[in-house]
Amino acid sequence: MRFTFDLTEPDCNSNSNLDNRQSVTPPSTSTPKEELEWIPLQNHPVFTADGVATQTSSTKMQKNLLAWDGASRLYYWDSSRQCLHRVSVRLGEPDSSSVLASCPSKVLQADVQLNFEVDRISINRNGSAIFLVGMEGLCIMYLYGRTSTKENTIICRTVSAGSEIYFNGKNAIRTLQISWHPCSDTHLGILSSDSVFRIFDLSSALVQPEQEYYLQPIEHGSSCDAASICPVDFSFGGDHLWDKFSVFVLFSDGSVYVLCPVVPFGSVYKWESILELYNDANAFGLKSSNSRAIKNSNLAISWLGATFPELSHQDVQGGNAFALRAQPYALFDSSVALQGPLRKISHGVEDPQVQPAICEGRAVSFLYNLVSKDSILVTAWSGGQLQIDALADEIQPVWKVGSPARLSVDSNDRIVGLAMISESVISDHSILKLDLPPDDTLWLGHPPPLLRLAIVDLSLPRKSGYLISMCVDPLMPERIYCLHVGGVDSVVLHFLPFTNQNSDKDESIRSPSVHPVLTTCQEESSLPSPLCGFLALSDSFGDSWVVGLTCNFQCIVLDMETWNIMPRRVNEVGKPTSSEVSKEANNQTIISKELLTGPKVVLLPPSSPTLRSVTSDSIEGRATLHQYFKLFHENYVEYAHKVYFELQHHAPHLKRIIDEQHSRLQKAQQKLVNVEKKQEKLEDRFQCAVQRHSAIEERLQKLRSLPTAHKRSLSKAEQEFKSELDKITGVELDALRSSIEALNARMKRYAHSPKPNQLNEQRQISARRKSHVVDNQMTQLKASLEKLSLTNSENTKKVKLVESALKTREA
């Protein structure tokens, strides 16, 4: 059942007691308990004060104004007041289905004025910083602050990150996805529209990135469409073998690529996990009979030894360290390869190029989920479908030799930054099988194949362009929450290939189940309103909740602990249920079987042949009569008493049954009377329906005579071509515009570059030669710009022609 909530504008109810206590700077210190009032989270004043319905500022970013530190603090960005609220919460108090929040909340104010609208917030691993991002800016707010003159307010240091690259107003580079690195508190990963993945270290440099990876998914000289080179989303890997060093990148056509290894400088990892990778490379890579595997494992061992020097400084088998910190390092004359696109497999070879388009539209978001031993990849499409795959093999690091990275070093020759071009490597797709031995696949540099688990259709209204975001339940990783314009759905995975490999056959074939959690549409005709925030909370007692923020800034709290996500088992055939057994036990018998069989048969005692001649007054006659009377009394009189007693005892029960039958009979008679009254109306309606049917048939015959009625449906090839057009809608034009703007910027730089001072005759000659070269370059740039403009106009005309043809064919 789907929960429905009223999204009308709430009344203002912002009267709350302010905290007169002095604010404490570190976020780990809380307000004294005697000054706090604990109320249900959905009734907190920050969610009901000055609520004005708003919509997402841009269709390319979904709002999420809520964040949780994973412990006891919830953060909410107030768009009207331009501040951050910090609310302390108590999970599962006073009962397991409720969440209490402290009132009043702490107000965290930025020390600078934000000149953009915040669309999404996210907190780092240790809860010390939170980023505020919008379509026109990115800021980092440090939650350690100083006390303000205003009551209950803390002024927090707020800095801008990546402003010279993304938000300087001179280029068209957009941020597509921003995420904290799971193994660092200061590193931020950003994927942008120029197909570059950057990692920023907020502790050292806020403007320049620490690492840059220029993604080249297409080989030189190969033809492709714009959808295959435009990235959409990325996700860091989980704590599983080489997945922890991997970055998964999703492109607009649904293809997934992997960057491995990618390690932020100074990030921390477990000693046991690094040791496992080191031993695996030595055991399976160096001892392989394949020279390519030996080469790749040698590169991995040298990279591990340089990135984590503790592996070589102490005994590998008996290290005393609990965690290792990654050191800045890059392989000489090599760059990290872009592995992919990841191919789908089965027990035989499966070529994805011959498969029909299952999902509609284009890929819009991506999620990596680690469930026990399985790495799950979920791709959301704009048509409302989810593509769920699992990695069928382990990820291995791959470098491309001969393509060195550009390094930036400090005065001590320590690496402080690197940049490289990550190109796609040619892989042999003939190895995409499940029944191959490990020696034929380990350390050969092949990208891991994908095992298709399911295609989930969220049954959204049939139109493209949906923005779907996903998050994982912190308590149950098999459950994935999907946020879309109509509400929230829960998708539960019941089968995992490696985790459930020893399970029963019946359980292994179960498909994922979809449970609607809440909807923002009250009626089918009403327009849906997307949520402005969503969180999944959990505690150590096994309880979980979801928190939603509507477009009217109303808070919704749902208890997910009591939800039964497992399907009900069907009772075995022939076995009565407990309700049937209890019903039979309550039904009392009207007359016992003993009475229905009648009195017992009495065997008369043997009599003498002279009995008929005996008189009743004699002693012998009286004895015989007494004996017969005794037998009659013991059997027939006692049977009559039993019959009388049971009839008297069951009289109320019989009366109740008769009354019930009479009442049922009266109800049936009343229903018959109602049916007779409605029969005339039904006959009239039937007659009207027949007349209406005849009129519709006549109208249909007239419509069939029209020339446009003899149209045929789209063929399979036309449907595939239409799906390809849906995927590249707007993508190719955006790529051309970005190229044109980049060329314009380069042309302006060359045009306004300062001329060199004329000191001597040689410098004048060289300056003339340089100006001549600049003029030639400007001429070439202008010619290229004209060609791009012509190509753009031609492509626009072609798209319009195709769209008009499709509309004419469909109308």
Side-chain angles (χ1 to χ4, degrees):
M1 182 177 180
R2 187 183 287 266
F3 290 90
T4 306
F5 296 91
D6 187 11
L7 298 184
T8 56
E9 185 174 346
D11 296 333
C12 297
N13 186 15
S14 60
N15 296 327
S16 59
N17 297 324
L18 296 177
D19 186 9
N20 296 324
R21 184 184 58 87
Q22 291 293 333
S23 300
V24 183
T25 53
S28 59
T29 306
S30 60
T31 308
K33 295 182 179 180
E34 60 270 16
E35 298 184 5
L36 293 179
E37 179 185 0
W38 294 92
I39 60 177
L41 179 60
Q42 59 269 23
N43 298 333
H44 202 281
V46 298
F47 298 115
T48 58
D50 300 331
V52 180
T54 60
Q55 297 293 336
T56 306
S57 60
S58 175
T59 58
K60 297 185 178 181
M61 180 177 294
Q62 193 166 10
K63 277 182 175 289
N64 192 2
L65 304 180
L66 295 177
W68 182 47
D69 64 351
S72 62
R73 287 183 173 175
L74 185 143
Y75 294 87
Y76 161 61
W77 176 258
D78 192 343
S79 301
S80 60
R81 298 176 57 187
Q82 291 288 305
C83 65
L84 188 69
H85 293 276
R86 187 181 71 196
V87 182
S88 299
V89 294
R90 289 179 178 176
L91 303 177
E93 293 185 9
D95 51 57
S96 60
S97 62
S98 62
V99 178
L100 297 181
S102 62
C103 181
S105 64
K106 279 292 182 181
V107 178
L108 308 181
Q109 192 75 43
D111 60 350
V112 296
Q113 183 67 28
L114 301 183
N115 54 1
F116 62 93
E117 181 182 356
V118 176
D119 291 329
R120 190 167 68 92
I121 65 175
S122 178
I123 195 169
N124 63 350
R125 185 180 58 174
N126 64 354
S128 61
I130 192 169
F131 72 71
L132 315 172
V133 63
M135 294 302 299
E136 299 178 356
L138 169 64
C139 287
I140 310 298
M141 177 183 287
Y142 295 95
L143 303 182
Y144 291 84
R146 65 181 186 274
T147 305
S148 172
T149 55
K150 298 181 181 179
E151 293 181 332
N152 207 39
T153 303
I154 298 176
I155 303 299
C156 298
R157 177 173 172 261
T158 305
V159 295
S160 178
S163 58
E164 294 187 359
I165 300 177
Y166 306 112
F167 311 106
N168 58 1
K170 298 180 181 179
N171 50 34
I173 300 178
R174 296 180 291 104
T175 57
L176 302 176
Q177 180 60 277
I178 304 175
S179 177
W180 292 99
H181 196 277
C183 297
S184 176
D185 300 324
T186 60
H187 284 86
L188 208 62
I190 300 178
L191 179 66
S192 53
S193 59
D194 57 348
S195 298
V196 181
F197 175 71
R198 298 177 175 90
I199 295 180
F200 288 83
D201 185 6
L202 305 179
S203 63
S204 60
L206 296 171
V207 178
Q208 295 298 327
E210 177 186 272
Q211 302 178 36
E212 289 182 293
Y213 298 89
Y214 293 82
L215 309 179
Q216 299 291 334
I218 304 301
E219 302 172 4
H220 294 290
S222 60
S223 60
C224 64
D225 55 1
S228 60
I229 61 174
C230 293
V232 174
D233 198 356
F234 83 94
S235 179
F236 291 110
D239 190 11
H240 174 72
L241 297 179
W242 287 95
D243 290 15
K244 64 175 66 69
F245 299 142
S246 302
V247 178
F248 298 85
V249 183
L250 174 69
F251 284 80
S252 181
D253 62 345
S255 59
V256 180
Y257 291 81
V258 182
L259 283 172
C260 181
V262 175
V263 180
F265 300 158
S267 55
V268 179
Y269 300 90
K270 297 179 182 178
W271 162 263
E272 292 82 0
S273 61
I274 304 301
L275 181 61
E276 183 180 5
L277 298 178
Y278 189 83
N279 293 334
D280 177 77
N282 282 279
F284 297 98
L286 296 181
K287 297 180 181 180
S288 176
S289 59
N290 194 316
S291 59
R292 186 177 180 182
I294 296 175
K295 178 182 178 182
N296 292 334
S297 60
N298 275 324
L299 290 175
I301 291 172
S302 62
W303 181 85
L304 285 172
T307 306
F308 304 100
E310 292 83 358
L311 291 174
S312 57
H313 293 167
Q314 55 183 315
D315 186 12
V316 174
Q317 298 296 334
N320 296 324
F322 295 99
L324 301 179
R325 186 176 296 275
Q327 302 298 324
Y329 179 73
L331 289 178
F332 177 74
D333 197 25
S334 299
S335 60
V336 178
L338 187 63
Q339 305 179 46
L342 305 185
R343 306 289 180 176
K344 295 179 292 293
I345 66 166
S346 61
H347 289 281
V349 179
E350 183 178 351
D351 189 2
Q353 296 180 356
V354 299
Q355 291 184 348
I358 301 177
C359 300
E360 301 176 359
R362 60 187 182 91
V364 293
S365 63
F366 179 80
L367 175 68
Y368 171 91
N369 186 18
L370 180 62
V371 185
S372 186
K373 302 177 183 179
D374 293 273
S375 299
I376 307 299
L377 308 182
V378 185
T379 303
W381 294 76
S382 60
Q385 295 86 21
L386 300 181
Q387 177 181 315
I388 305 176
D389 302 309
L391 290 180
D393 200 355
E394 301 296 344
I395 297 177
Q396 303 291 340
V398 179
W399 289 270
K400 187 170 184 179
V401 182
S403 178
R406 298 186 62 180
L407 304 179
S408 176
V409 297
D410 57 7
S411 58
N412 297 324
D413 293 336
R414 289 178 55 88
I415 299 176
V416 295
L418 61 88
M420 63 181 67
I421 298 176
S422 297
E423 299 178 342
S424 179
V425 293
I426 302 175
S427 61
D428 186 10
H429 301 311
S430 63
I431 58 101
L432 300 181
K433 296 181 180 180
L434 291 175
D435 52 357
L436 289 177
D439 294 338
D440 296 341
T441 58
L442 289 178
W443 293 103
L444 296 181
H446 300 301
L450 294 177
L451 181 62
R452 176 62 52 81
L453 297 184
I455 297 291
V456 177
D457 192 351
L458 299 179
S459 299
L460 301 179
R462 291 297 177 186
K463 71 171 185 176
S464 60
Y466 288 108
L467 285 178
I468 302 176
S469 60
M470 299 171 288
C471 65
V472 181
D473 191 327
L475 183 65
M476 181 181 174
E478 293 88 352
R479 179 161 50 191
I480 301 172
Y481 295 108
C482 303
L483 285 74
H484 47 78
V485 69
V488 181
D489 292 331
S490 170
V491 179
V492 181
L493 304 178
H494 297 288
F495 168 66
L496 301 170
F498 294 99
T499 304
N500 305 123
Q501 58 184 350
N502 296 326
S503 302
D504 297 335
K505 184 178 180 181
D506 295 337
E507 186 179 358
S508 62
I509 60 176
R510 291 173 55 191
S511 59
S513 59
V514 182
H515 303 275
V517 178
L518 60 91
T519 178
T520 56
C521 295
Q522 290 186 351
E523 300 177 355
E524 296 182 357
S525 59
S526 61
L527 295 177
S529 300
L531 294 177
C532 292
F534 182 82
L535 286 178
L537 312 179
S538 66
D539 61 1
S540 58
F541 296 99
D543 298 329
S544 62
W545 303 263
V546 293
V547 179
L549 185 67
T550 66
C551 61
N552 292 326
F553 303 109
Q554 291 178 315
C555 183
I556 303 169
V557 179
L558 294 179
D559 177 25
M560 303 296 293
E561 188 268 337
T562 57
W563 282 42
N564 185 13
I565 62 173
M566 304 299 292
R568 297 179 179 178
R569 295 187 177 182
V570 181
N571 294 324
E572 296 182 5
V573 178
K575 289 187 177 181
T577 59
S578 59
S579 60
E580 293 175 353
V581 174
S582 61
K583 185 176 181 180
E584 291 179 359
N586 293 330
N587 292 334
Q588 301 178 359
T589 57
I590 299 176
I591 299 177
S592 63
K593 296 180 180 180
E594 183 181 358
L595 298 182
L596 293 176
T597 56
K600 297 180 180 180
V601 179
V602 179
L603 297 176
L604 296 177
S607 59
S608 62
T610 61
L611 181 63
R612 292 182 179 272
S613 61
V614 177
T615 60
S616 59
D617 296 337
S618 63
I619 297 174
E620 187 178 356
R622 289 180 179 180
T624 303
L625 290 175
H626 179 73
Q627 186 177 5
Y628 281 120
F629 180 77
K630 184 179 179 181
L631 291 174
F632 177 80
H633 184 274
E634 289 179 354
N635 291 278
Y636 296 99
V637 175
E638 289 183 0
Y639 174 75
H641 281 289
K642 289 181 180 179
V643 172
Y644 175 77
F645 177 77
E646 288 214 10
L647 290 178
Q648 187 178 11
H649 177 70
H650 287 287
H653 180 63
L654 293 174
K655 185 177 183 301
R656 185 168 60 251
I657 294 176
I658 294 172
D659 293 340
E660 184 180 355
Q661 296 294 335
H662 280 297
S663 63
R664 293 178 61 184
L665 178 61
Q666 292 177 359
K667 291 181 180 177
Q669 291 176 351
Q670 185 65 30
K671 289 182 180 179
L672 289 175
V673 172
N674 295 334
V675 170
E676 291 177 356
K677 291 181 180 179
K678 294 180 180 178
Q679 183 177 3
E680 298 179 358
K681 297 181 180 179
L682 290 175
E683 291 178 355
D684 295 338
R685 293 178 65 183
F686 287 153
Q687 187 176 2
C688 293
V690 171
Q691 295 177 358
R692 181 66 175 171
H693 180 68
S694 302
I696 291 176
E697 283 187 348
E698 294 178 0
R699 186 177 180 185
L700 182 61
Q701 293 296 333
K702 294 179 180 179
L703 291 175
R704 285 176 178 174
S705 61
L706 297 176
T708 58
H710 302 283
K711 65 176 183 179
R712 60 183 180 87
S713 59
L714 296 178
S715 63
K716 184 177 180 181
E718 291 173 342
Q719 291 177 357
E720 293 178 356
F721 182 65
K722 182 182 178 182
S723 64
E724 291 179 1
L725 289 178
D726 293 337
K727 291 181 181 179
I728 65 174
T729 301
V731 177
E732 192 167 353
L733 295 178
D734 291 339
L736 290 174
R737 291 192 186 99
S738 300
S739 302
I740 293 172
E741 291 176 356
L743 290 174
N744 285 331
R746 293 176 62 184
M747 184 177 67
K748 290 180 181 179
R749 283 202 305 270
Y750 282 114
H752 298 286
S753 59
K755 297 182 180 180
N757 296 326
Q758 299 179 356
L759 300 177
N760 48 36
E761 186 176 354
Q762 292 182 349
R763 290 189 177 183
Q764 292 179 357
I765 295 174
S766 62
R768 292 173 183 174
R769 291 178 180 177
K770 289 182 180 179
S771 62
H772 180 67
V773 172
V774 171
D775 294 337
N776 292 335
Q777 291 179 351
M778 290 180 62
T779 304
Q780 293 177 359
L781 286 174
K782 290 180 179 179
S784 301
L785 185 60
E786 292 177 356
K787 290 180 180 180
L788 283 174
S789 300
L790 292 175
T791 305
N792 189 9
S793 60
E794 291 177 359
N795 288 335
T796 304
K797 293 179 180 179
K798 291 179 181 179
V799 170
K800 290 182 178 179
L801 288 174
V802 172
E803 288 180 351
S804 61
L806 289 175
K807 290 180 179 178
T808 304
R809 187 177 294 275
E810 291 177 355

